[in-house]
């Protein structure tokens, strides 16, 4: 993955690419750790291009329109954990929606549980089963996915 400096134009993210800085994304990356890597990449990008920016010699390249991607706007329902999800999908959702995002969530007994971090503890099971919820200290917890940090509302 990486960050890009581009020239502003009338359309969203469509100006010339002035420079880019890449970084590795680890298999267990979270939104929080990814933001940290992106922030460091932004600093490196500015440091590397600053002399050319000041001199006015930095030149961009047109974006390759065949590689342009667009993402749908995120909705609150996108963070919901469902019984149809595999444990890997739940783990990815929790890592992708952790802080600074609103978190993955599950509604049990009319209570919303926001899951900030967790891990798969029963890898033999691949599917989440709401029927296997066990009573934890502050909330229900599935026996196949351990919630390490969570809030109730």
């Amino acid at each position: 993955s990486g960050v890009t400096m581009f020239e502003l134009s009338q359309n969203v993210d469509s100006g010339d690419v002035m420079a880019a800085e890449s970084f590795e994304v680890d298999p267990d990356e979270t939104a929080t750790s990814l933001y940290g890597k992106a922030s460091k990449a932004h600093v490196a990008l500015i440091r590397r291009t600053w002399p050319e920016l000041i001199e006015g010699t930095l030149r961009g390249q047109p974006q390759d329109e065949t590689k342009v991607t667009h993402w749908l706007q995120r909705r609150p329902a996108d963070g919901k954990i469902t019984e149809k999800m595999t444990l890997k999908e739940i783990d990815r959702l929790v890592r992708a929606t952790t802080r600074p995002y609103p978190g993955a969530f599950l509604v049990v007994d009319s209570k919303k549980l926001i899951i900030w971090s967790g891990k798969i503890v029963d890898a033999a099971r691949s599917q989440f089963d709401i029927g296997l919820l066990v009573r934890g200290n502050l909330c229900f917890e599935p026996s196949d996915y351990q919630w390490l940090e969570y809030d109730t509302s």
Side-chain angles (χ1 to χ4, degrees):
S1 191
V3 297
T4 306
M5 177 188 299
F6 57 90
E7 186 174 36
L8 294 179
S9 65
Q10 289 187 342
N11 296 321
V12 176
D13 293 348
S14 63
D16 287 354
V17 174
M18 307 305 283
E21 186 77 22
S22 62
F23 54 87
E24 293 294 320
V25 177
D26 296 324
D28 60 347
E29 204 78 64
T30 67
T32 307
S33 62
L34 193 62
Y35 262 67
K37 287 182 177 183
S39 293
K40 287 179 182 177
H42 278 115
V43 170
L45 180 63
I46 294 296
R47 284 185 175 152
R48 182 167 49 83
T49 59
W50 188 252
E52 292 176 272
L53 282 170
I54 294 300
E55 294 169 8
T57 59
L58 186 62
R59 299 289 176 248
Q61 298 292 321
Q63 292 192 43
D64 183 346
E65 295 295 325
T66 65
K67 295 182 179 178
V68 171
T69 58
H70 298 278
W71 298 96
L72 297 175
Q73 182 175 1
R74 188 188 182 288
R75 301 165 300 151
D78 294 338
K80 186 173 184 177
I81 296 171
T82 69
E83 282 188 90
K84 294 179 181 178
M85 298 172 78
T86 67
L87 294 176
K88 285 184 179 182
E89 289 170 334
I90 292 170
D91 189 53
R92 284 187 198 118
L93 180 65
V94 168
R95 289 184 291 111
T97 59
T98 193
R99 293 176 180 93
Y101 294 111
F105 68 92
L106 178 68
V107 178
V108 178
D109 294 339
S110 301
K111 289 186 179 182
K112 184 177 182 180
L113 308 173
I114 302 170
I115 314 304
W116 299 112
S117 67
K119 66 179 182 178
I120 297 171
V121 292
D122 185 358
R125 293 185 45 75
S126 63
Q127 206 64 33
F128 177 63
D129 185 350
I130 286 184
L132 292 177
L133 289 171
V134 295
R135 178 60 88 176
N137 289 340
L138 299 174
C139 67
F140 286 101
E141 186 171 325
S143 60
D144 45 13
Y145 190 81
Q146 183 181 6
W147 302 334
L148 301 174
E149 183 184 1
Y150 52 87
D151 292 320
T152 60
S153 62

